[in-house]
């Protein structure tokens, strides 16, 4: 559900991006101008970051992490369901702004003073504030759940240094979410008070300081980049090792590089604020710290290359996305080092160079990683392999379209095109670059159609996948595809890194069980997470519409459902050995 809803929001954000590019295809275009363009720009960035990339990553984590650590589920299933529904209703609240009063229009960073009532008098920013608040609560619940699951529910024998890289990146990403989202939550709460109740936390005319918003936003905003990229690094590590038929080169260094990237990613938010007047000493320290991130990132890139070196490489669709990811992301990383130099940043900032860098990192990193992961784990999730021919069309059109769209934007920025503008004058040499960029965006759109057709074709007459269709290395490939509701009939005994591959190399067909077959306890389904989330939605919509009785009604609904949950006795249910044996026999038939 996370992956599906995230993909729907990805399509919405993609359509918004195409409309932006259509507006910029020629100078002085009147297709979508002024406030409409600002709304498109804001909703595209907000949707792609908060409602598409994160939930699709959460979707893969939900399915794959318990399987990779040999667990039957996440630690708190109720919290998991509540986290999803809160994300969903938060995203819904944000997107109904198109229908009820207008979408937010202050950019995805929503800088104040621009986001205060004087300059954004409609309800658009209120949708942004309330939608992201509700969605953010869900994300923090998910992060806590993954941390507890990974710490407490690993199979017998799975030490931290035997965990697959995707699980490691999930672990570090969850820690980042836990520390990065509270500053955003505080910032959104203060902005809500400024807009709804007349306080002056950020209003300079009332004694507030707009710079505080920028600090709070970027203390969250910079780790957010790593929140969506680190899991993609984990996916790449799994895919490259599997399709190179080699153990991941430098596993321990990859783990420590992941932790170091997570730490440094938190410490460099100020590089987004070089030009606000913090002074040369502060700028120099944060500039050097930013450049230092290139070291652990370089370790990862070289380790992927050394993993492929001498391997028996199979260029399947997930491997194509993984290989395409490496040079694409490296270009994004190199321009990141350029932007980390404060004197250069004074020139680049607010130009299309930054737009190009940002998309090279986030699409070149996260989206390539997500597609690699989707093709790689699709057989495990749905029991069928996606079509390879359609997958290759998808990859090549997406790769070519991506570089056509964003490579030229580096030069557009250097030639003087500012970001966030809805038009430009003819005769300044910006025409052909924008036309090429729009053509590339359309090509990317066509590539997504191939992905959608692939899903539909596979669902109707796709090739059935066995438990281990890629000759995999980790535990998820040791059980049937798709997995039964209890995942593992018997918890596996892990004796080495790449537990399944280790057993196969020792002549065994599967992983040894660590326990006898017995009754399995499962949690009961519950409708309370949906009801509680609907309560949050009603409260949020009430605050946006300034209808306080409706907001109070929504909050009362939230507290009632919390009360019901607090006193609900949920014994769950058990799956007995006879039923497990019948299921396992059917899966192997």
């Amino acid at each position: 559900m996370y992956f599906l809803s995230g993909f729907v929001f990805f399509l919405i954000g993609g359509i918004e991006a195409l409309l932006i590019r259509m507006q910029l295809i020629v100078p002085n275009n009147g297709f979508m101008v002024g406030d409409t363009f600002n709304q498109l720009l804001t909703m595209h960035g907000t949707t792609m970051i908060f409602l598409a990339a994160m939930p699709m990553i959460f979707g893969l984590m939900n399915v794959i992490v318990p399987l990779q650590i040999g667990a039957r589920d996440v630690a708190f299933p109720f919290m998991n369901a509540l986290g999803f529904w809160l994300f969903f209703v938060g995203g819904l609240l944000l997107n109904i702004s198109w229908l009820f009063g207008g979408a937010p229009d202050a950019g995805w960073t929503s800088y104040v003073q621009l986001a205060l009532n004087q300059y954004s008098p409609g309800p658009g920013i209120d949708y942004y504030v309330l939608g992201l608040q509700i969605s953010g609560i869900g994300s923090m619940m998910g992060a806590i759940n993954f941390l507890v699951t990974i710490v407490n529910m690993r199979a017998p024998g799975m030490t931290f240094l035997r965990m697959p890289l995707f699980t490691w990146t999930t672990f570090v990403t969850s820690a980042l979410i836990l520390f990065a989202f509270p500053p955003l939550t505080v910032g959104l709460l203060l902005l809500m008070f400024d807009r709804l109740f007349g306080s002056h936390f950020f209003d300079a005319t009332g004694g507030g300081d707009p710079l505080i918003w920028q600090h709070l936003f970027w203390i969250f905003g910079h780790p957010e980049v790593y929140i969506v990229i680190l899991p993609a690094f984990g996916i790449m590590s799994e895919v490259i090792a599997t399709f190179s038929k080699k153990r991941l080169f430098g596993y321990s260094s990859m783990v420590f590089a992941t932790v170091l990237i997570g730490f440094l990613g938190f410490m460099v938010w100020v590089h987004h604020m070089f030009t606000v007047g913090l002074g040369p000493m502060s700028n120099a320290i944060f500039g050097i710290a930013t450049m230092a991130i290139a070291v652990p990132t370089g370790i990862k890139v070289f380790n992927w290359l050394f993993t492929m070196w001498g391997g028996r490489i199979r260029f399947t669709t997930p491997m194509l996305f993984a290989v395409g990811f490496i040079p694409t992301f490296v270009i994004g990383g190199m321009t990141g080092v350029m932007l980390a130099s404060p004197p250069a940043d004074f020139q680049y900032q607010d130009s299309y160079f930054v737009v190009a860098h940002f998309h090279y990192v986030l699409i070149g990193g996260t989206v390539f990683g997500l597609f690699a992961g989707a093709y790689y784990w699709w057989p495990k999730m749905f029991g069928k392999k996606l079509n390879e021919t359609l997958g290759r069309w998808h990859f090549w059109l997406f790769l070519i379209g991506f570089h056509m769209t964003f490579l030229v934007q580096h030069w557009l920025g250097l030639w003087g095109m500012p970001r966030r503008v809805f038009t430009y004058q003819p005769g300044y040499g910006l025409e052909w670059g924008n036309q090429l960029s729009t053509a590339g965006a359309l090509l990317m759109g066509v590539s997504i159609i191939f992905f959608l057709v692939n899903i539909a074709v596979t669902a109707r007459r796709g090739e059935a996948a066995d438990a281990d269709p890629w000759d995999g290395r980790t535990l998820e490939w040791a059980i049937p595809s798709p997995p039964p509701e209890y995942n593992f009939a018997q918890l596996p005994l892990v004796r080495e890194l790449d537990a399944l591959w280790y057993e196969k190399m020792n002549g065994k067909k599967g992983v040894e069980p660590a326990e006898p077959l017995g009754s399995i306890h499962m949690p009961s389904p519950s409708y309370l997470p949906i009801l509680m989330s609907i309560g949050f939605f009603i409260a949020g919509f009430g605050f946006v519409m300034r209808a306080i009785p409706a907001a109070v009604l929504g909050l009362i609904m939230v507290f009632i459902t919390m009360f019901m949950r607090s006193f609900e006795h949920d014994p769950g249910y058990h799956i007995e050995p006879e039923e497990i044996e019948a299921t396992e026999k059917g899966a192997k038939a």
Side-chain angles (χ1 to χ4, degrees):
M1 289 171 71
Y2 259 122
F3 193 88
L4 178 64
S5 52
F7 187 67
V8 170
F9 283 123
F10 176 78
L11 294 178
I12 294 171
I15 292 169
E16 289 161 353
L18 287 176
L19 292 174
I20 291 169
R21 285 310 321 163
M22 291 309 296
Q23 164 62 26
L24 293 170
I25 192 169
V26 291
N28 291 333
N29 195 2
F31 176 53
M32 284 193 173
V33 299
D35 198 44
T36 306
F37 185 86
N38 291 340
Q39 292 175 6
L40 275 176
L41 203 69
T42 303
M43 286 300 289
H44 166 67
T46 307
T47 300
M48 285 303 198
I49 293 288
F50 292 99
L51 307 180
M54 282 189 64
M56 284 198 284
I57 288 167
F58 268 43
L60 288 179
M61 290 175 176
N62 255 298
V63 176
I64 303 303
V65 167
L67 297 178
Q68 285 198 330
I69 63 173
R72 294 205 166 98
D73 200 348
V74 291
F76 306 118
F78 181 90
M79 185 190 281
N80 199 28
L82 181 59
F84 165 74
W85 286 111
L86 285 174
F87 142 72
F88 184 75
V89 300
L92 196 63
L93 183 62
L94 196 58
N95 275 275
I96 63 169
S97 61
W98 288 112
L99 307 174
F100 298 97
D105 56 358
W108 81 280
T109 55
S110 213
Y111 278 163
V112 291
Q113 308 276 90
L114 193 58
L116 295 179
N117 284 323
Q118 300 93 310
Y119 301 102
S120 295
I125 302 299
D126 299 324
Y127 281 111
Y128 175 94
V129 169
L130 272 303
L132 291 190
Q133 285 275 40
I134 296 170
S135 181
I137 296 169
S139 298
M140 280 196 284
M141 285 183 175
I144 293 168
N145 213 348
F146 288 127
L147 282 172
V148 176
T149 301
I150 293 170
V151 170
N152 286 329
M153 298 181 68
R154 285 168 288 124
M158 179 165 279
T159 63
F160 273 97
L161 285 179
R162 288 179 182 169
M163 288 197 316
L165 247 294
F166 181 67
T167 301
W168 254 113
T169 53
T170 300
F171 184 73
V172 175
T173 298
S174 301
L176 284 176
I177 291 173
L178 200 60
F179 289 102
F181 268 67
L184 177 68
T185 305
V186 170
L188 290 171
L189 194 68
L190 298 182
L191 184 56
M192 186 179 85
F193 270 79
D194 274 12
R195 289 185 59 86
L196 268 63
F197 304 117
S199 62
H200 300 285
F201 291 106
F202 304 126
D203 186 359
T205 61
D209 188 349
L211 210 58
I212 295 174
W213 167 261
Q214 291 192 35
H215 279 294
L216 289 172
F217 184 86
W218 286 117
I219 290 173
F220 148 80
H222 195 72
E224 171 68 12
V225 175
Y226 295 94
I227 286 169
V228 295
I229 283 179
L230 280 177
F233 287 175
I235 294 168
M236 294 302 157
S237 302
E238 305 292 346
V239 169
I240 289 173
T242 297
F243 293 108
S244 299
K245 281 213 167 192
K246 278 181 65 183
R247 178 173 170 159
L248 187 67
F249 185 89
Y251 168 82
S252 300
S253 64
M254 293 289 262
V255 170
F256 288 111
T258 302
V259 176
L260 190 57
I261 290 172
F263 176 75
L264 288 174
F266 228 105
M267 306 305 291
V268 297
W269 83 94
V270 171
H271 72 220
H272 291 276
M273 303 168 65
F274 281 154
T275 56
V276 302
L278 297 175
M281 180 62 75
S282 174
N283 283 356
I285 291 171
F286 283 98
I288 292 168
T290 303
M291 292 179 195
I293 298 180
V295 177
T297 308
I299 289 171
K300 282 184 169 289
V301 171
F302 280 109
N303 281 352
W304 290 323
L305 295 175
F306 286 134
T307 303
M308 287 190 281
W309 186 280
R312 284 184 287 163
I313 300 175
R314 290 172 288 163
F315 284 106
T316 58
T317 305
M319 188 63 172
L320 286 175
F321 273 102
V323 173
F325 158 92
I326 293 176
T328 308
F329 183 77
V330 167
I331 293 173
M334 288 166 58
T335 51
V337 174
M338 293 167 70
L339 286 162
S341 169
D345 186 75
F346 271 66
Q347 303 301 317
Y348 297 136
Q349 75 136 2
D350 287 334
S351 79
Y352 250 74
F353 189 90
V354 176
V355 178
H357 157 72
F358 192 68
H359 285 84
Y360 259 85
V361 171
L362 287 180
I363 297 182
T366 305
V367 177
F368 272 69
L370 279 169
F371 282 132
Y375 280 96
Y376 181 54
W377 282 310
W378 199 273
K380 183 53 60 182
M381 292 189 288
F382 301 105
K384 290 183 177 180
K385 290 173 75 171
L386 285 168
N387 183 283
E388 273 292 307
T389 305
L390 290 171
R392 288 168 191 274
W393 273 99
H394 173 202
F395 167 73
W396 285 111
L397 290 176
F398 191 82
L399 182 78
I400 295 167
F402 171 80
H403 286 286
M404 280 175 63
T405 306
F406 296 108
L407 189 62
V408 70
Q409 289 184 6
H410 291 102
W411 281 274
L412 285 172
L414 296 175
W415 293 336
M417 182 165 171
R419 58 200 283 207
R420 306 188 184 102
V421 294
F422 62 79
T423 191
Y424 48 92
Q425 293 294 321
Y428 287 89
L430 303 177
E431 290 91 338
W432 74 267
N434 274 294
Q435 288 161 5
L436 186 66
S437 187
T438 301
L442 291 171
L443 205 57
M444 290 170 72
V446 172
S447 80
I448 299 301
I449 294 173
F450 275 88
F451 185 54
L452 292 172
V453 170
N454 200 346
I455 292 172
V457 169
T458 302
R460 285 179 62 86
R461 54 174 191 272
E463 176 188 350
D466 59 23
D468 186 14
W470 307 120
D471 195 11
R473 309 177 70 84
T474 42
L475 284 178
E476 70 266 32
W477 307 110
I479 59 172
S481 304
E485 60 179 317
Y486 46 80
N487 284 354
F488 294 88
Q490 295 165 277
L491 293 184
L493 177 65
V494 176
R495 299 194 292 178
E496 186 53 83
L497 177 67
D498 291 347
L500 178 60
W501 187 258
Y502 176 81
E503 301 296 343
K504 285 195 279 191
M505 290 301 99
N506 283 282
K508 297 181 179 173
K509 291 184 179 178
V511 182
E512 282 187 26
E515 62 176 6
L517 187 63
S519 179
I520 297 175
H521 178 259
M522 300 293 291
S524 301
S526 173
Y527 55 84
L528 288 180
I530 301 177
L531 290 181
M532 201 180 294
S533 302
I534 291 173
F536 272 106
F537 178 85
I538 294 171
F541 192 62
F543 279 120
V544 170
M545 291 289 113
R546 308 294 205 268
I548 300 304
V552 172
L553 182 67
L555 290 176
I556 290 173
M557 188 172 171
V558 170
F559 284 115
I560 289 175
T561 48
M562 288 172 69
F563 183 84
M564 290 169 66
R565 173 62 183 171
S566 300
F567 292 93
E568 183 184 50
H569 177 62
D570 177 21
Y573 65 97
H574 288 81
I575 301 176
E576 301 303 330
E578 299 78 27
E579 188 180 345
I580 298 169
E581 286 175 343
T583 304
E584 295 291 308
K585 188 177 178 182
K588 290 173 184 172

